[in-house]
Amino acid sequence: MADRLTQLQDTINQQAEHFCNSVGILQQYSTPSKFPGFDRISSSQQSNQPQEDYASLFATLIARCAKDIDTLIDSLPSEESSQELQVASLSRLEQENQEAAEQLEEIVKQGEALLQRIQAALQDIAQSQLDMQNPTADTVINPSQPLSTSILTTCVNIKQETLNSASVKNHQLADTSNSSM
């Protein structure tokens, strides 16, 4: 959207068009006046074109456009708005902008910290799933990530249960192979 001065200029141009068009319409559709003693135009030439109420139409358009111009002029900054007031207003806006920027930076820091915690938890979960899929492999500990004792305890317990159940199955297989011989 254009600024107020551009809107005002456009509306003034529109008003000039209305004036120009109204004069053109009046010239085109008006009936010629007769001067006494000077009658060169025959009375048989009459305009057969439809007569609309152009005067009322253009009067409405011109009045509406004039009202728009007044409204735009009233919306322009007044002379009372001195340079000192504008500078004070701009400094207040800059201060508010600085405070909003500081709040945004704090929120971004909190979001980054939360993201790191979520990524660490996801990495622990992925490592746990890998450990459960391959119980004979040793647990790989990433030194860059903080260790979670609850996850490590869970991983150790799962490995011990898996090893115990594997040794019981191996012992049962050995017993069945010995008894069949």
Side-chain angles (χ1 to χ4, degrees), residues 46-148:
Q46 298 255 338
S47 177
N48 293 331
Q49 296 176 353
Q51 294 294 325
E52 295 182 20
D53 195 10
Y54 290 114
S56 174
L57 172 68
F58 279 104
T60 303
L61 290 174
I62 290 170
R64 185 178 303 141
C65 198
K67 187 182 285 188
D68 291 344
I69 290 171
D70 287 339
T71 304
L72 286 170
I73 289 172
D74 289 341
S75 70
L76 292 174
S78 67
E79 293 176 7
E80 297 170 1
S81 178
S82 67
Q83 189 171 6
E84 293 84 21
L85 290 174
Q86 291 176 357
V87 168
S89 175
L90 285 175
S91 64
R92 182 179 44 83
L93 289 174
E94 286 178 12
Q95 183 181 6
E96 290 175 2
N97 188 19
Q98 183 67 29
E99 291 172 1
E102 290 170 0
Q103 288 176 352
L104 181 62
E105 287 176 2
E106 181 63 31
I107 291 171
V108 167
K109 286 179 185 177
Q110 291 174 357
E112 288 174 349
L114 182 61
L115 178 64
Q116 288 177 353
R117 287 178 43 205
I118 291 172
Q119 286 176 342
L122 288 174
Q123 186 175 4
D124 289 343
I125 291 170
Q127 186 64 43
S128 297
Q129 288 178 342
L130 287 174
D131 291 344
M132 287 177 21
Q133 290 175 356
N134 190 3
T136 58
D138 291 337
T139 303
V140 176
I141 299 174
N142 188 353
S144 65
Q145 296 294 328
L147 293 177
S148 172

Side-chain angles (χ1 to χ4, degrees), residues 144-181:
S144 65
Q145 296 294 328
L147 293 177
S148 172
T149 57
S150 63
I151 292 177
L152 287 177
T153 306
T154 305
C155 289
V156 169
N157 288 339
I158 290 172
K159 277 192 170 186
Q160 286 177 352
E161 290 173 7
T162 307
L163 290 175
N164 288 340
S165 64
S167 66
V168 168
K169 286 183 182 179
N170 285 339
H171 186 67
Q172 290 174 349
L173 284 175
D175 287 341
T176 55
S177 64
N178 286 338
S179 62
S180 64
M181 284 186 201

Side-chain angles (χ1 to χ4, degrees), residues 8-19:
L8 181 61
Q9 183 63 45
D10 291 342
T11 309
I12 289 171
N13 289 340
Q14 187 179 18
Q15 183 76 313
E17 287 177 17
H18 290 322
F19 282 131

